[in-house]
PDB file of all heavy atoms in Angstrom:
ATOM      1  N   LYS A   1     103.988 102.249 111.459  1.00  0.00           N
ATOM      2  CA  LYS A   1     105.366 102.752 111.256  1.00  0.00           C
ATOM      3  C   LYS A   1     106.015 102.976 112.665  1.00  0.00           C
ATOM      4  O   LYS A   1     107.117 102.571 112.813  1.00  0.00           O
ATOM      5  CB  LYS A   1     105.381 103.885 110.526  1.00  0.00           C
ATOM      6  CG  LYS A   1     106.711 104.526 110.214  1.00  0.00           C
ATOM      7  CD  LYS A   1     106.678 105.738 109.195  1.00  0.00           C
ATOM      8  CE  LYS A   1     108.134 106.176 108.889  1.00  0.00           C
ATOM      9  NZ  LYS A   1     108.075 107.334 107.922  1.00  0.00           N
ATOM     10  N   GLU A   2     105.210 103.500 113.587  1.00  0.00           N
ATOM     11  CA  GLU A   2     105.813 103.919 114.912  1.00  0.00           C
ATOM     12  C   GLU A   2     105.947 102.567 115.672  1.00  0.00           C
ATOM     13  O   GLU A   2     106.976 102.419 116.460  1.00  0.00           O
ATOM     14  CB  GLU A   2     104.880 104.872 115.634  1.00  0.00           C
ATOM     15  CG  GLU A   2     105.473 105.300 117.010  1.00  0.00           C
ATOM     16  CD  GLU A   2     104.760 106.502 117.526  1.00  0.00           C
ATOM     17  OE1 GLU A   2     104.360 107.273 116.718  1.00  0.00           O
ATOM     18  OE2 GLU A   2     104.727 106.599 118.798  1.00  0.00           O
ATOM     19  N   LEU A   3     105.087 101.644 115.660  1.00  0.00           N
ATOM     20  CA  LEU A   3     105.124 100.492 116.554  1.00  0.00           C
ATOM     21  C   LEU A   3     105.912  99.340 115.955  1.00  0.00           C
ATOM     22  O   LEU A   3     106.502  98.586 116.688  1.00  0.00           O
ATOM     23  CB  LEU A   3     103.704 100.004 116.836  1.00  0.00           C
ATOM     24  CG  LEU A   3     102.811 100.981 117.655  1.00  0.00           C
ATOM     25  CD1 LEU A   3     101.430 100.239 117.897  1.00  0.00           C
ATOM     26  CD2 LEU A   3     103.456 101.443 118.975  1.00  0.00           C
ATOM     27  N   TYR A   4     105.941  99.174 114.647  1.00  0.00           N
ATOM     28  CA  TYR A   4     106.558  98.064 114.095  1.00  0.00           C
ATOM     29  C   TYR A   4     107.675  98.445 112.876  1.00  0.00           C
ATOM     30  O   TYR A   4     108.176  97.586 112.215  1.00  0.00           O
ATOM     31  CB  TYR A   4     105.602  97.150 113.364  1.00  0.00           C
ATOM     32  CG  TYR A   4     104.543  96.681 114.257  1.00  0.00           C
ATOM     33  CD1 TYR A   4     103.243  97.286 114.313  1.00  0.00           C
ATOM     34  CD2 TYR A   4     104.742  95.679 115.218  1.00  0.00           C
ATOM     35  CE1 TYR A   4     102.322  96.827 115.207  1.00  0.00           C
ATOM     36  CE2 TYR A   4     103.830  95.163 116.014  1.00  0.00           C
ATOM     37  CZ  TYR A   4     102.561  95.744 116.087  1.00  0.00           C
ATOM     38  OH  TYR A   4     101.617  95.320 116.986  1.00  0.00           O
ATOM     39  N   ASN A   5     107.919  99.707 112.773  1.00  0.00           N
ATOM     40  CA  ASN A   5     108.837 100.249 111.685  1.00  0.00           C
ATOM     41  C   ASN A   5     108.387  99.731 110.312  1.00  0.00           C
ATOM     42  O   ASN A   5     109.176  99.424 109.500  1.00  0.00           O
ATOM     43  CB  ASN A   5     110.253  99.767 111.964  1.00  0.00           C
ATOM     44  CG  ASN A   5     110.842 100.357 113.199  1.00  0.00           C
ATOM     45  OD1 ASN A   5     110.654 101.536 113.497  1.00  0.00           O
ATOM     46  ND2 ASN A   5     111.485  99.606 113.995  1.00  0.00           N
ATOM     47  N   TRP A   6     107.038  99.648 110.185  1.00  0.00           N
ATOM     48  CA  TRP A   6     106.467  99.154 108.923  1.00  0.00           C
ATOM     49  C   TRP A   6     106.377 100.261 107.936  1.00  0.00           C
ATOM     50  O   TRP A   6     105.676 101.295 108.068  1.00  0.00           O
ATOM     51  CB  TRP A   6     105.075  98.621 109.203  1.00  0.00           C
ATOM     52  CG  TRP A   6     104.460  97.703 108.099  1.00  0.00           C
ATOM     53  CD1 TRP A   6     104.677  97.876 106.832  1.00  0.00           C
ATOM     54  CD2 TRP A   6     103.507  96.746 108.251  1.00  0.00           C
ATOM     55  NE1 TRP A   6     103.949  96.997 106.089  1.00  0.00           N
ATOM     56  CE2 TRP A   6     103.217  96.233 107.031  1.00  0.00           C
ATOM     57  CE3 TRP A   6     102.845  96.158 109.411  1.00  0.00           C
ATOM     58  CZ2 TRP A   6     102.278  95.172 106.813  1.00  0.00           C
ATOM     59  CZ3 TRP A   6     102.041  95.119 109.202  1.00  0.00           C
ATOM     60  CH2 TRP A   6     101.684  94.564 107.916  1.00  0.00           C
ATOM     61  N   GLU A   7     107.075 100.144 106.855  1.00  0.00           N
ATOM     62  CA  GLU A   7     107.143 101.176 105.784  1.00  0.00           C
ATOM     63  C   GLU A   7     105.916 100.874 104.881  1.00  0.00           C
ATOM     64  O   GLU A   7     105.991  99.846 104.125  1.00  0.00           O
ATOM     65  CB  GLU A   7     108.402 101.229 105.038  1.00  0.00           C
ATOM     66  CG  GLU A   7     109.606 101.708 105.895  1.00  0.00           C
ATOM     67  CD  GLU A   7     109.434 103.117 106.318  1.00  0.00           C
ATOM     68  OE1 GLU A   7     108.736 103.892 105.623  1.00  0.00           O
ATOM     69  OE2 GLU A   7     109.950 103.489 107.341  1.00  0.00           O
ATOM     70  N   GLU A   8     104.906 101.555 104.770  1.00  0.00           N
ATOM     71  CA  GLU A   8     103.830 101.281 103.911  1.00  0.00           C
ATOM     72  C   GLU A   8     103.323 102.574 103.393  1.00  0.00           C
ATOM     73  O   GLU A   8     103.468 103.654 103.871  1.00  0.00           O
ATOM     74  CB  GLU A   8     102.729 100.575 104.855  1.00  0.00           C
ATOM     75  CG  GLU A   8     101.562 100.035 104.019  1.00  0.00           C
ATOM     76  CD  GLU A   8     102.052  98.982 102.946  1.00  0.00           C
ATOM     77  OE1 GLU A   8     102.582  98.006 103.400  1.00  0.00           O
ATOM     78  OE2 GLU A   8     101.845  99.316 101.845  1.00  0.00           O
ATOM     79  N   THR A   9     102.547 102.411 102.236  1.00  0.00           N
ATOM     80  CA  THR A   9     102.053 103.646 101.554  1.00  0.00           C
ATOM     81  C   THR A   9     100.602 103.435 101.179  1.00  0.00           C
ATOM     82  O   THR A   9     100.012 102.376 101.374  1.00  0.00           O
ATOM     83  CB  THR A   9     102.860 104.009 100.237  1.00  0.00           C
ATOM     84  OG1 THR A   9     102.694 102.816  99.349  1.00  0.00           O
ATOM     85  CG2 THR A   9     104.308 104.199 100.538  1.00  0.00           C
ATOM     86  N   VAL A  10     100.024 104.376 100.593  1.00  0.00           N
ATOM     87  CA  VAL A  10      98.619 104.250 100.075  1.00  0.00           C
ATOM     88  C   VAL A  10      98.757 103.533  98.701  1.00  0.00           C
ATOM     89  O   VAL A  10      99.491 103.881  97.803  1.00  0.00           O
ATOM     90  CB  VAL A  10      97.943 105.550  99.901  1.00  0.00           C
ATOM     91  CG1 VAL A  10      96.554 105.384  99.329  1.00  0.00           C
ATOM     92  CG2 VAL A  10      97.851 106.294 101.273  1.00  0.00           C
ATOM     93  N   HIS A  11      97.903 102.492  98.571  1.00  0.00           N
ATOM     94  CA  HIS A  11      97.919 101.679  97.300  1.00  0.00           C
ATOM     95  C   HIS A  11      96.646 102.021  96.471  1.00  0.00           C
ATOM     96  O   HIS A  11      95.555 102.122  96.996  1.00  0.00           O
ATOM     97  CB  HIS A  11      97.827 100.148  97.613  1.00  0.00           C
ATOM     98  CG  HIS A  11      99.041  99.644  98.362  1.00  0.00           C
ATOM     99  ND1 HIS A  11     100.301  99.501  97.668  1.00  0.00           N
ATOM    100  CD2 HIS A  11      99.233  99.188  99.579  1.00  0.00           C
ATOM    101  CE1 HIS A  11     101.203  98.996  98.481  1.00  0.00           C
ATOM    102  NE2 HIS A  11     100.573  98.747  99.647  1.00  0.00           N
ATOM    103  N   PHE A  12      96.908 102.352  95.210  1.00  0.00           N
ATOM    104  CA  PHE A  12      95.854 102.510  94.272  1.00  0.00           C
ATOM    105  C   PHE A  12      95.932 101.368  93.191  1.00  0.00           C
ATOM    106  O   PHE A  12      96.770 101.489  92.333  1.00  0.00           O
ATOM    107  CB  PHE A  12      95.805 103.911  93.613  1.00  0.00           C
ATOM    108  CG  PHE A  12      95.533 104.948  94.675  1.00  0.00           C
ATOM    109  CD1 PHE A  12      96.429 105.711  95.211  1.00  0.00           C
ATOM    110  CD2 PHE A  12      94.133 105.155  94.993  1.00  0.00           C
ATOM    111  CE1 PHE A  12      96.125 106.732  96.091  1.00  0.00           C
ATOM    112  CE2 PHE A  12      93.838 106.176  95.897  1.00  0.00           C
ATOM    113  CZ  PHE A  12      94.819 106.974  96.451  1.00  0.00           C
ATOM    114  N   ASN A  13      95.187 100.275  93.375  1.00  0.00           N
ATOM    115  CA  ASN A  13      95.388  99.053  92.512  1.00  0.00           C
ATOM    116  C   ASN A  13      94.718  99.114  91.195  1.00  0.00           C
ATOM    117  O   ASN A  13      95.088  98.453  90.253  1.00  0.00           O
ATOM    118  CB  ASN A  13      94.924  97.850  93.274  1.00  0.00           C
ATOM    119  CG  ASN A  13      95.786  97.657  94.591  1.00  0.00           C
ATOM    120  OD1 ASN A  13      96.873  97.955  94.604  1.00  0.00           O
ATOM    121  ND2 ASN A  13      95.117  97.053  95.593  1.00  0.00           N
ATOM    122  N   MET A  14      93.634 100.013  91.108  1.00  0.00           N
ATOM    123  CA  MET A  14      92.861  99.997  89.925  1.00  0.00           C
ATOM    124  C   MET A  14      93.619 101.026  88.853  1.00  0.00           C
ATOM    125  O   MET A  14      93.201 102.036  88.568  1.00  0.00           O
ATOM    126  CB  MET A  14      91.467 100.467  90.064  1.00  0.00           C
ATOM    127  CG  MET A  14      90.545 100.285  88.898  1.00  0.00           C
ATOM    128  SD  MET A  14      90.294  98.556  88.531  1.00  0.00           S
ATOM    129  CE  MET A  14      88.840  98.188  89.418  1.00  0.00           C
ATOM    130  N   THR A  15      94.664 100.494  88.374  1.00  0.00           N
ATOM    131  CA  THR A  15      95.434 101.251  87.275  1.00  0.00           C
ATOM    132  C   THR A  15      94.568 101.385  86.087  1.00  0.00           C
ATOM    133  O   THR A  15      93.627 100.600  85.885  1.00  0.00           O
ATOM    134  CB  THR A  15      96.719 100.525  86.957  1.00  0.00           C
ATOM    135  OG1 THR A  15      96.511  99.240  86.394  1.00  0.00           O
ATOM    136  CG2 THR A  15      97.624 100.373  88.123  1.00  0.00           C
ATOM    137  N   PRO A  16      94.856 102.303  85.191  1.00  0.00           N
ATOM    138  CA  PRO A  16      94.103 102.411  83.918  1.00  0.00           C
ATOM    139  C   PRO A  16      94.069 101.111  83.182  1.00  0.00           C
ATOM    140  O   PRO A  16      93.095 100.688  82.604  1.00  0.00           O
ATOM    141  CB  PRO A  16      94.843 103.555  83.149  1.00  0.00           C
ATOM    142  CG  PRO A  16      95.433 104.391  84.187  1.00  0.00           C
ATOM    143  CD  PRO A  16      95.786 103.449  85.362  1.00  0.00           C
ATOM    144  N   GLU A  17      95.233 100.417  83.136  1.00  0.00           N
ATOM    145  CA  GLU A  17      95.379  99.153  82.501  1.00  0.00           C
ATOM    146  C   GLU A  17      94.385  98.072  83.042  1.00  0.00           C
ATOM    147  O   GLU A  17      93.624  97.372  82.413  1.00  0.00           O
ATOM    148  CB  GLU A  17      96.726  98.592  82.420  1.00  0.00           C
ATOM    149  CG  GLU A  17      96.892  97.318  81.686  1.00  0.00           C
ATOM    150  CD  GLU A  17      98.361  96.729  81.643  1.00  0.00           C
ATOM    151  OE1 GLU A  17      99.163  97.284  82.407  1.00  0.00           O
ATOM    152  OE2 GLU A  17      98.600  95.794  80.940  1.00  0.00           O
ATOM    153  N   ASN A  18      94.418  97.974  84.426  1.00  0.00           N
ATOM    154  CA  ASN A  18      93.545  97.003  85.136  1.00  0.00           C
ATOM    155  C   ASN A  18      92.036  97.278  84.889  1.00  0.00           C
ATOM    156  O   ASN A  18      91.255  96.538  84.760  1.00  0.00           O
ATOM    157  CB  ASN A  18      93.903  96.898  86.569  1.00  0.00           C
ATOM    158  CG  ASN A  18      95.251  96.140  86.771  1.00  0.00           C
ATOM    159  OD1 ASN A  18      95.629  95.239  85.940  1.00  0.00           O
ATOM    160  ND2 ASN A  18      95.910  96.444  87.909  1.00  0.00           N
ATOM    161  N   MET A  19      91.750  98.675  85.028  1.00  0.00           N
ATOM    162  CA  MET A  19      90.414  99.007  84.790  1.00  0.00           C
ATOM    163  C   MET A  19      89.886  98.705  83.462  1.00  0.00           C
ATOM    164  O   MET A  19      88.851  98.219  83.196  1.00  0.00           O
ATOM    165  CB  MET A  19      90.208 100.517  85.102  1.00  0.00           C
ATOM    166  CG  MET A  19      88.807 101.134  84.806  1.00  0.00           C
ATOM    167  SD  MET A  19      87.592 100.565  85.968  1.00  0.00           S
ATOM    168  CE  MET A  19      87.873 101.779  87.286  1.00  0.00           C
ATOM    169  N   ALA A  20      90.760  98.895  82.433  1.00  0.00           N
ATOM    170  CA  ALA A  20      90.336  98.659  80.988  1.00  0.00           C
ATOM    171  C   ALA A  20      90.211  97.130  80.859  1.00  0.00           C
ATOM    172  O   ALA A  20      89.250  96.672  80.141  1.00  0.00           O
ATOM    173  CB  ALA A  20      91.418  99.124  80.101  1.00  0.00           C
ATOM    174  N   THR A  21      91.056  96.307  81.482  1.00  0.00           N
ATOM    175  CA  THR A  21      90.963  94.820  81.316  1.00  0.00           C
ATOM    176  C   THR A  21      89.634  94.404  81.940  1.00  0.00           C
ATOM    177  O   THR A  21      88.899  93.613  81.338  1.00  0.00           O
ATOM    178  CB  THR A  21      92.087  94.156  81.970  1.00  0.00           C
ATOM    179  OG1 THR A  21      93.330  94.610  81.327  1.00  0.00           O
ATOM    180  CG2 THR A  21      92.000  92.651  81.952  1.00  0.00           C
ATOM    181  N   ILE A  22      89.372  94.903  83.190  1.00  0.00           N
ATOM    182  CA  ILE A  22      88.170  94.365  83.834  1.00  0.00           C
ATOM    183  C   ILE A  22      86.892  94.814  83.107  1.00  0.00           C
ATOM    184  O   ILE A  22      85.967  94.055  82.937  1.00  0.00           O
ATOM    185  CB  ILE A  22      88.136  94.969  85.268  1.00  0.00           C
ATOM    186  CG1 ILE A  22      89.278  94.263  86.069  1.00  0.00           C
ATOM    187  CG2 ILE A  22      86.790  94.719  85.965  1.00  0.00           C
ATOM    188  CD1 ILE A  22      89.450  94.886  87.442  1.00  0.00           C
ATOM    189  N   LYS A  23      86.911  96.123  82.563  1.00  0.00           N
ATOM    190  CA  LYS A  23      85.780  96.485  81.744  1.00  0.00           C
ATOM    191  C   LYS A  23      85.654  95.620  80.501  1.00  0.00           C
ATOM    192  O   LYS A  23      84.480  95.268  80.134  1.00  0.00           O
ATOM    193  CB  LYS A  23      85.959  97.890  81.332  1.00  0.00           C
ATOM    194  CG  LYS A  23      85.697  98.979  82.454  1.00  0.00           C
ATOM    195  CD  LYS A  23      85.903 100.420  81.979  1.00  0.00           C
ATOM    196  CE  LYS A  23      85.527 101.350  83.014  1.00  0.00           C
ATOM    197  NZ  LYS A  23      85.800 102.798  82.495  1.00  0.00           N
ATOM    198  N   SER A  24      86.679  95.130  79.948  1.00  0.00           N
ATOM    199  CA  SER A  24      86.620  94.213  78.788  1.00  0.00           C
ATOM    200  C   SER A  24      86.137  92.842  79.145  1.00  0.00           C
ATOM    201  O   SER A  24      85.459  92.202  78.290  1.00  0.00           O
ATOM    202  CB  SER A  24      87.966  94.034  78.173  1.00  0.00           C
ATOM    203  OG  SER A  24      88.806  93.190  78.909  1.00  0.00           O
ATOM    204  N   TRP A  25      86.156  92.473  80.399  1.00  0.00           N
ATOM    205  CA  TRP A  25      85.596  91.167  80.871  1.00  0.00           C
ATOM    206  C   TRP A  25      84.155  91.301  81.173  1.00  0.00           C
ATOM    207  O   TRP A  25      83.482  90.304  81.438  1.00  0.00           O
ATOM    208  CB  TRP A  25      86.446  90.750  82.054  1.00  0.00           C
ATOM    209  CG  TRP A  25      87.849  90.258  81.815  1.00  0.00           C
ATOM    210  CD1 TRP A  25      88.275  89.815  80.717  1.00  0.00           C
ATOM    211  CD2 TRP A  25      88.849  90.121  82.798  1.00  0.00           C
ATOM    212  NE1 TRP A  25      89.672  89.460  80.767  1.00  0.00           N
ATOM    213  CE2 TRP A  25      90.020  89.650  82.077  1.00  0.00           C
ATOM    214  CE3 TRP A  25      88.895  90.350  84.188  1.00  0.00           C
ATOM    215  CZ2 TRP A  25      91.212  89.402  82.725  1.00  0.00           C
ATOM    216  CZ3 TRP A  25      90.224  90.110  84.835  1.00  0.00           C
ATOM    217  CH2 TRP A  25      91.257  89.688  84.116  1.00  0.00           C
ATOM    218  N   ILE A  26      83.578  92.484  81.388  1.00  0.00           N
ATOM    219  CA  ILE A  26      82.279  92.727  81.898  1.00  0.00           C
ATOM    220  C   ILE A  26      81.197  91.960  81.167  1.00  0.00           C
ATOM    221  O   ILE A  26      80.317  91.427  81.700  1.00  0.00           O
ATOM    222  CB  ILE A  26      82.014  94.292  81.977  1.00  0.00           C
ATOM    223  CG1 ILE A  26      82.769  94.866  83.196  1.00  0.00           C
ATOM    224  CG2 ILE A  26      80.470  94.557  82.267  1.00  0.00           C
ATOM    225  CD1 ILE A  26      82.604  94.335  84.573  1.00  0.00           C
TER     226      ILE A  26
END
């Protein structure tokens, strides 16, 4: 952010829906 004005946040990609889908594929 300081060097490149890069607006970024913490990502949590394993949403409940994605977790449920991946578990169904197991």
Side-chain angles (χ1 to χ4, degrees):
K1 184 174 183 179
E2 183 165 329
L3 297 183
Y4 302 103
N5 294 318
W6 195 330
E7 294 295 334
E8 192 56 64
T9 60
V10 178
H11 294 289
F12 291 100
N13 297 329
M14 192 66 90
T15 62
E17 181 180 10
N18 285 334
M19 177 67 85
T21 297
I22 292 171
K23 285 181 177 179
S24 74
W25 289 339
I26 290 299

